[in-house]
Amino acid sequence: MSRAVIEIAEPVEQVRSLARDTAIRSIRATIVEAPTRRRHKLSNTEVTHQGYVLVRVLLDNGVTGIGEASTLGGPRWAEESVESIKAAATNYLAPALLGQPALAFEANALRMSKAATRNFAAKGAIESALLDAAGKTLGLPASALLGGAVRERMEVIWALASGDSGQELEEAKEKLRRREHRQFKIKFGFNRPQADLKRLQTLRAGLGDEVRLIVDVNQGWTEAECIRFMPALEELDVALIEQPVSALQLEAMARVAARTSIPLLVDEAAFTKEEIARVATMGCGSVYSLKLVKSGGLFEMKRAAAVAGAHGLELYGGCLLESSIGAAAHLAAFATLPRLEWGSEHFGPRILVEDLVVNPIRFDEFEICVPDGPGLGVEVDEDKIRAFARKD
């Protein structure tokens, strides 16, 4: 009895051809400084121009992918600056990837890990560009390459960070009136705690009890200040407190978390999967902020979400004032997560005087919409890039 013959030669050759066509031909990086609509203050700096590194990956098939790395005022939020990101991407990561197939995402991540330790923002920008190029080649959104979307939109949070309570109240009321945002994160830490609390009282009184308020201390308080002032935050019905003490003081953060009824959001205290497991086991918080700049890649960010979820932490889609380019990369991954309890904070495209794309991410009815085009689903505005690019 003859056996059926299974034809495999053609599919295998198609895979080989695709690998050849998507080989990485070049990787280029450009520093961009885009002006913001208002000052954005944190505990250790303030931003009037947001710094980005845009990474372009060119494949042998002629397709170009774009990725973005974002910082806040230089190497203050983390160790990377736009200058170091560009240097790492150009001098160390790019040589390790040239000639490799763009679709070999995990292998390329391993190559980058061997080429440079940490440098998560640089790695994340390159991987985002590879996903953009691969998605454009295959006619698929990046979310499909990341496992497939389970949501098309998510609640989006707006940050209030000018330090002027009157201006912030009017800003928040306008966001509510336009049905753009109904959850607000108030930046603390750049004033004395008593002054920040007065701002918060003004905002709570002016916005009412139905609006959800989140406080981000940006590591600006001591444990003693947390003990003293967190009862006031409880009285003002704050829903979440982000990183109140130094990221290095894990034991103090665990003690603070045990004393308050408000959930703590872990941000700077945990970048890697191992760090996430450690802070969760220690009881440093009950919510984790996902950021590409902390994970070093979209696939790794999904693994970070899985580790956080396995330890019982809820998930929050964090941001570093990304443009629509960086926001689109984050949203592609956020869209695939089984759970995202706190939605996303990717308001960055709206704080820029001019976004960096011709088709900005859409906001609708208090939510941000995941782009559905191939790759990241956004198209770079070359005129804006030329206007805002740093002249070397």
Side-chain angles (χ1 to χ4, degrees):
M1 183 174 65
S2 62
R3 296 182 178 180
V5 177
I6 301 175
E7 296 289 344
I8 61 172
E10 184 176 346
V12 168
E13 182 52 39
Q14 289 174 347
V15 171
R16 289 173 178 165
S17 176
L18 185 61
R20 287 193 298 269
D21 290 345
T22 60
I24 300 167
R25 185 186 303 175
S26 68
I27 298 176
R28 296 184 294 113
T30 304
I31 296 175
V32 173
E33 294 169 322
T36 57
R37 295 181 182 276
R38 59 152 169 80
R39 292 181 181 274
H40 189 80
K41 293 186 177 183
L42 293 87
S43 62
N44 64 348
T45 189
E46 65 178 59
V47 174
T48 57
H49 286 73
Q50 178 59 356
Y52 306 108
V53 176
L54 298 188
V55 173
R56 298 176 193 260
V57 171
L58 175 64
L59 307 185
D60 273 351
N61 61 7
V63 174
T64 298
I66 187 79
E68 177 186 279
S70 180
T71 67
L72 284 175
R76 293 183 176 91
W77 187 87
E79 67 269 26
E80 290 177 276
S81 65
V82 288
E83 295 83 5
S84 71
I85 292 168
K86 181 181 179 182
T90 302
N91 299 330
Y92 297 96
L93 301 177
L97 297 178
L98 295 181
Q100 302 298 327
L103 289 165
F105 299 114
E106 297 292 0
N108 288 331
L110 288 173
R111 291 184 181 97
M112 287 195 287
S113 294
K114 291 179 181 179
T117 300
R118 294 181 72 88
N119 285 278
F120 295 133
K123 293 173 182 176
I126 289 177
E127 188 181 85
S128 297
L130 292 174
L131 275 158
D132 187 42
K136 290 173 180 175
T137 297
L138 298 172
L140 294 171
S143 59
L145 301 175
L146 290 164
V150 297
R151 62 181 63 82
E152 298 176 348
R153 48 200 293 160
M154 59 204 77
E155 188 91 8
V156 61
I157 298 157
W158 178 264
L160 300 170
S162 72
D164 181 333
S165 59
Q167 182 276 329
E168 289 174 338
L169 180 57
E170 291 307 309
E171 185 177 310
K173 285 183 174 179
E174 180 65 9
K175 298 298 179 185
L176 286 166
R177 187 188 68 79
R178 295 169 63 91
R179 301 185 66 80
E180 293 176 347
H181 303 271
R182 59 187 172 191
Q183 300 187 55
F184 300 97
K185 175 193 278 190
I186 299 90
K187 293 287 187 178
F188 273 27
F190 49 80
N191 285 323
R192 295 174 60 245
Q194 295 90 336
D196 281 335
L197 285 172
K198 287 189 67 174
R199 284 172 56 220
L200 184 62
Q201 288 168 347
T202 299
L203 291 167
R204 174 56 81 197
L207 296 174
D209 295 335
E210 299 304 313
V211 171
R212 185 153 77 170
L213 299 181
I214 297 166
V215 164
D216 183 4
V217 187
N218 277 126
Q219 308 180 72
W221 285 1
T222 65
E223 182 180 358
E225 287 173 324
C226 290
I227 293 170
R228 181 179 177 187
F229 296 114
M230 277 193 176
L233 300 184
E234 294 174 2
E235 291 179 9
L236 290 168
D237 194 27
V238 169
L240 188 65
I241 302 173
E242 182 173 349
Q243 200 63 54
V245 300
S246 168
L248 300 176
Q249 298 173 346
L250 300 185
E251 292 82 1
M253 193 166 176
R255 290 192 295 269
V256 170
R259 292 182 68 103
T260 180
S261 63
I262 305 174
L264 296 194
L265 173 60
V266 177
D267 189 13
E268 294 96 331
F271 279 47
T272 66
K273 300 186 299 296
E274 294 80 5
E275 291 167 352
I276 295 169
R278 186 178 304 121
V279 297
T281 302
M282 291 179 64
C284 295
S286 50
V287 186
Y288 181 69
S289 181
L290 295 164
K291 290 178 180 173
L292 189 55
V293 69
K294 296 199 297 182
S295 295
L298 293 165
F299 290 94
E300 189 67 10
M301 190 166 71
K302 288 197 63 175
R303 285 191 280 267
V307 171
H311 283 83
L313 303 185
E314 294 183 345
L315 300 176
Y316 179 105
C319 84
L320 276 185
L321 299 187
E322 286 85 354
S323 77
S324 280
I325 299 167
H330 282 83
L331 294 175
F334 294 164
T336 69
L337 299 177
R339 297 182 298 108
L340 188 66
E341 291 89 347
W342 290 84
S344 168
E345 192 195 322
H346 275 276
F347 66 95
R350 279 185 161 163
I351 202 172
L352 298 179
V353 173
E354 295 184 273
D355 203 351
L356 304 183
V357 300
V358 297
N359 56 335
I361 286 179
R362 191 166 65 90
F363 294 78
D364 180 62
E365 288 293 312
F366 307 114
E367 293 182 320
I368 186 169
C369 303
V370 181
D372 57 4
L376 298 184
V378 293
E379 181 184 348
V380 173
D381 188 322
E382 299 295 351
D383 291 336
K384 303 269 181 61
I385 302 305
R386 280 190 290 270
F388 298 143
R390 181 182 292 184
K391 306 302 185 288
D392 294 327

